[in-house]
Amino acid sequence: MAHSDPPDEADPDRWTVTVEGAVAEPLSASVTVLGADASMRSATACAGNRAPDRSWRGVRVGTILDRVDPAPEATHGLVRSADPDYACGFDLGRLRGALLATRLAGEAIPTGRGGPVRLLVPDADCWERVKWVTRIDVLTTPPGDADTARDRVAAED
């Protein structure tokens, strides 16, 4: 089960990701500004499917968090998809190691694969690999009911 339907408009030249909340310097950046200076090998297949590891490039969430300067009391991040009903929460320490991917095998990520921006988290469950990322809210408490991912896609046993 896919966590949401692809957005109608996913033009990498106009897509932005916003980071705000408990931060000193909120940020809204295009895919070009986000860049692709970090990489990760990851398979993204779910529901028992097998897929080979692929080479993804993008920017580490930790790099972005350093730019926005989270408040000392910030503890969590809520990653939002273009689907307004889908978001996934993370401990900030874990989210720092994640990749906001903008490239797959050297090319722009196709919309069907979660592009133009997809979150890849090391050792993530399927539902934590957020497709079509539009926003990260930095929070001082766990996201609670705003974290809809677990409700939309059950974790595998």
Side-chain angles (χ1 to χ4, degrees):
M1 176 176 165
H3 68 63
S4 55
D5 294 323
D8 291 333
E9 181 61 42
D11 180 355
D13 293 331
R14 299 186 331 182
W15 196 271
T16 59
V17 175
T18 300
V19 183
E20 56 188 9
V23 299
E25 298 289 332
L27 169 76
S28 188
S30 69
V31 171
T32 305
V33 170
L34 288 174
D37 62 354
S39 64
M40 179 183 291
R41 291 198 61 79
S42 179
T44 56
C46 295
N49 295 325
R50 290 308 223 185
D53 279 358
R54 291 186 170 86
S55 178
W56 301 80
R57 294 197 62 75
V59 62
R60 292 270 177 219
V61 176
T63 301
I64 293 172
L65 290 174
D66 290 345
R67 286 168 44 186
V68 300
D69 190 21
E73 62 273 15
T75 59
H76 289 79
L78 183 66
V79 181
R80 297 185 180 272
S81 171
D83 175 345
D85 296 324
Y86 194 89
C88 191
F90 298 90
D91 174 271
L92 269 189
R94 184 167 180 231
L95 190 55
R96 279 187 164 279
L99 183 74
L100 275 181
T102 58
R103 313 288 290 170
L104 172 60
E107 302 293 328
I109 303 170
T111 303
R113 302 277 311 185
V117 180
R118 182 170 186 168
L119 182 74
L120 297 174
V121 181
D123 301 319
D125 287 318
C126 181
W127 42 268
E128 293 178 306
R129 298 180 192 126
V130 180
K131 295 178 178 180
W132 315 297
V133 174
T134 59
R135 180 180 166 130
I136 299 173
D137 294 324
V138 178
L139 308 170
T140 58
T141 60
D145 290 341
D147 184 347
T148 63
R150 290 182 180 103
D151 296 333
R152 293 280 302 271
V153 179
E156 290 183 51
D157 293 330

